Amino acid sequence: MRRGYTVVFGAWQGDLLPDDGRLLLDLTVARRGADPMRGLTTAEFIVEEPTGSLPLSRWSSTRSYPVSEQGAHTARLTRRRYPHSTPKELPPEPGGSRDCRAAGAS
């Protein structure tokens, strides 16, 4: 640093939706050879009050990534009341949606 170097750490959130003059970046699909890279994605939502729905992207300003064909058949949604509680799996409803309110908190 004493020789006049500058160190810059940068990052970009590639899943923002257009709105309010945001500067956006169109990212390419990560690939391993010719195949797109895929893997398990997990997210934990903590709500302060009851809600009817939550965006899977976590924020309304970001887009959700599409589910792969395999993921559509193996996806699971669980809920728990406290961090130390055992997660309870919520069964899919017709059409594939899940209702956390109907499952009861445990």
Side-chain angles (χ1 to χ4, degrees):
M1 294 300 174
R2 293 181 183 163
R3 296 182 181 210
Y5 292 99
T6 301
V7 177
V8 176
F9 293 92
W12 194 277
Q13 186 171 343
D15 57 355
L16 288 176
L17 294 171
D19 187 33
D20 200 26
R22 293 184 185 116
L23 183 61
L24 303 177
L25 177 66
D26 187 18
L27 299 172
T28 60
V29 174
R31 297 187 178 279
R32 183 174 290 127
D35 298 325
M37 293 176 64
R38 294 190 171 100
L40 177 65
T41 301
T42 62
E44 185 164 323
F45 300 91
I46 300 172
V47 295
E48 300 294 324
E49 57 189 51
T51 182
S53 67
L54 290 168
L56 292 178
S57 62
R58 296 179 147 183
W59 299 282
S60 60
S61 61
T62 59
R63 65 178 163 241
S64 299
Y65 290 100
V67 177
S68 69
E69 187 174 325
Q70 178 187 2
H73 300 291
T74 60
R76 297 176 352 140
L77 178 66
T78 62
R79 70 174 287 174
R80 59 186 175 167
R81 183 179 278 279
Y82 302 108
H84 61 274
S85 300
T86 302
K88 179 180 179 182
E89 186 166 349
L90 303 176
E93 297 178 351
S97 66
R98 317 268 172 129
D99 189 348
C100 294
R101 297 168 298 172
S106 54

